[in-house]
Each structure stands twice: as C-alpha cells, then as structure tokens.
C-alpha cells in the first residue's frame, strides 16, 4: 500500500490552480489501487501540468512539449506489466502533440491519458490553445480568438479511443474513481479533465463549470458510439456532460504484437550480435 506519494518538492502552482486537485485525485487513486514506483510510470509533456511529476513519488519521465504520448508508448511496449499514465495539457496533447493523440487512439495503445484541460497555455503565460473558446482574448489573440475550439473527446472517439471520459478538478472523489476506471480499461483511455487556470483563463472558472456541468445518468449507454459523439460535442449553458461518455472492448496494440505477448520485452535477455565484420568493412 502506498503511504506517502509526496516528494520533498513543494508545489509551485498558483494558489487555487486546478492542478492541485488533479494531483490529489491521482494520489488517492494510486493509494486505493496500489500503484507505486515499481508498477507504474508517469510521463508528462511540458506545461504547468508537467510539474506534477516533480511532486509525486512515482517513477516518471518529463518529455519534450507535445511528445509525452510517444514516450509513454515506448515504455508500455517495453514493459506491458506497467500502468502507464500520460500527464498532458490541452496545448501539449491537442496542439503540438495532436498527431500523437490521433495515432495512439487509432492503434488503441494501453495507456491512460489525463488531459489537464485549462483552455490555455498556462506555463507560457496564457496564450490561446486549441480548446480556448472563440472570441477568447489573450496575449496571442488580443482581438479575440478567431478559431473554433476542438472538442477533445470527439476527436479521441473518432480517432479510435476505446475509453473516453470527462472529469472536473472540483470533484476530487469523482475524479479519483474515474482515474481508476480509466486505468482498469484495456486500451487507450482518455479523461478530459476540466481544470481551471485561475491566473490566465477568466472564462473557464470554477463558477463557470459549477453552473454548467452535469453528470450522465445511469440510463446513458456508453457503448453507443454515435450517442457518445453527440455527448462529446455538447458544450454550452448547463450542457457540459461529466462521466464515461464512451467505452468499447477492442484488442489493444500491445496484445497484437506477437513478440511481446508471451512476456514483456523488458524480461528478455539482451540480444548480442557480433558486428566486428561490419565495422571492419566500413572502417
Ligand atoms: C517544442 C516546444 N514548443 C513550444 C514550447 C513552449 N511551450 C512550453 S509549455 C507550452 C504550452 C503549454 O500549454 P499546455 O500544454 O496547455 O500546458 P499548461 O501549461 O496549460 O498545463 C509551450 C507552447 C516548448 N517548450 N517546446
Ligand atoms: S498558470 Fe494557470 S495552470 Fe499554471 S499554475 Fe498558474 S493557475 Fe495553474
Ligand atoms: Mg493548458
């Protein structure tokens, strides 16, 4: 049982930042599910979200901006026994790293993506991101964002994600359970986490979310792809659904690679080849 998942680093997030709650939810989930240094790896991109790695005592790797997913994919392919989490931001995952999101969903890699969705580039002081609303004023769009925002879960479901959910940083117990369910799912699981950036996003505030989110009820069927897509497109006054929007049972990428099915690659002895003749030829 994991007892203390805090490192000696004191969190540097702004007071009131939604990242604190996501961090707490992840630690709750890890404590309940028994994730630790030996069985779990966290991979982050660059952004305020990525600082979470510095404060959490679980094996981790901070990649380049937009490249968390390919690093996580490599770790999972090397050791399929690990729980592998991607800690990413809306800029990291949908802007610079958007192509990696699409293809990891298409291939159904067995990863859990926690998308810290604050609607801005927080770390670089609040530029407009692919999910910022149309008309959003920031340093990069001082006259208002002229572009339509992405709906991240609609993109993920269309690309082939087999688990798509939305959580809210203001609900730590609910988010903890969602994280456990996402990791239990075999295949590409993504949670779009509504995360207020109290410093740079004055539109998507706690008050905005509390007024506009609602929970999917028990009658909702998460196995109906078209219904899930309709839910993923919902965004408006009192119209932001939370919960598991989509769930599908489909073979993972890892389960279809014959070389790693019998046992994880990491347990194979290193393959030694004599390349002295080759070296002589080209030296
Ligand atoms: C290759 C590369 N491009 C751009 C940057 C600059 N950069 C660092 S973080 C960031 C955006 C972060 O936004 P997001 O992923 O939403 O994370 P947040 O800070 O909001 O958590 C950018 C553009 C970088 N570090 N590396
Ligand atoms: S800039 Fe925004 S996302 Fe970054 S730590 Fe501050 S409140 Fe959080
Ligand atoms: Mg962001």
């Amino acid at each position: 049982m994991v007892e203390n998942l805090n490192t000696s680093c004191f969190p540097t997030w702004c007071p009131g930042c939604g990242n604190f709650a996501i961090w707490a939810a992840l630690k709750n989930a890890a404590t309940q599910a028994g994730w630790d240094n030996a069985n779990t790896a966290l991979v982050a991109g660059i952004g305020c979200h990525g600082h979470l790695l510095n404060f959490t005592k679980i094996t981790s790797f901070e990649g380049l901006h937009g490249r968390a997913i390919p690093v996580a994919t490599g770790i999972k392919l090397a050791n399929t026994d690990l729980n592998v989490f991607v800690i990413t931001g809306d800029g990291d995952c949908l802007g610079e790293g958007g192509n990696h999101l699409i293809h990891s969903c298409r291939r159904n890699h067995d990863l859990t993506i926690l998308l810290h969705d604050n609607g801005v580039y927080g770390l670089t002081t609040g530029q407009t991101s692919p999910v910022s609303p149309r008309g959003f004023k920031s340093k990069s769009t001082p006259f208002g964002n002229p572009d339509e925002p992405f709906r991240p879960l609609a993109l993920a479901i269309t690309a082939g994600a087999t688990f798509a959910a939305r959580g809210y940083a203001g609900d730590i117990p609910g988010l903890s359970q969602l994280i456990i369910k996402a990791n239990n799912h075999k295949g590409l699981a993504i949670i779009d986490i509504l995360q207020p950036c109290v410093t740079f996003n004055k539109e998507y505030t706690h008050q905005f979310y509390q007024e506009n989110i609602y929970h999917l009820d028990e009658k909702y069927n998460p196995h109906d792809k078209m219904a899930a897509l309709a839910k993923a497109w919902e965004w408006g006054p009192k119209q932001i659904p939370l919960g598991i929007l989509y769930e599908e049972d489909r073979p993972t990428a890892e389960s279809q690679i014959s070389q790693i099915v019998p046992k994880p690659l990491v347990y194979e002895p290193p393959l030694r080849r004599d390349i002295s003749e080759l070296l002589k030829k080209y030296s």
Side-chain angles (χ1 to χ4, degrees), residues 13-14 17 19 48 118 122 195 197-200:
W13 292 311
C14 309
C17 173
N19 277 315
C48 295
N118 57 10
Q195 178 238 311
C197 166
V198 294
T199 303
F200 294 114

Side-chain angles (χ1 to χ4, degrees), residues 34-46:
W35 305 330
D36 60 23
N37 255 337
N39 62 24
T40 300
L42 310 178
V43 183
I46 305 294

Side-chain angles (χ1 to χ4, degrees), residues 12-28:
T12 48
W13 292 311
C14 309
C17 173
N19 277 315
F20 282 100
I22 302 175
W23 182 45
L26 179 63
K27 287 188 293 178
N28 277 349

Side-chain angles (χ1 to χ4, degrees), residues 175-186:
L175 185 56
S176 307
Q177 293 317 305
L178 215 46
I179 294 173
I180 292 175
K181 285 181 188 158
N183 186 64
N184 286 343
H185 174 79
K186 289 274 157 256

Side-chain angles (χ1 to χ4, degrees), residues 19 46-49 65 89-92 96 118 120-124:
N19 277 315
I46 305 294
C48 295
H49 60 273
H65 185 53
D90 43 318
D92 195 73
E96 193 125 359
N118 57 10
V120 283
Y121 291 178
L123 187 70
T124 46

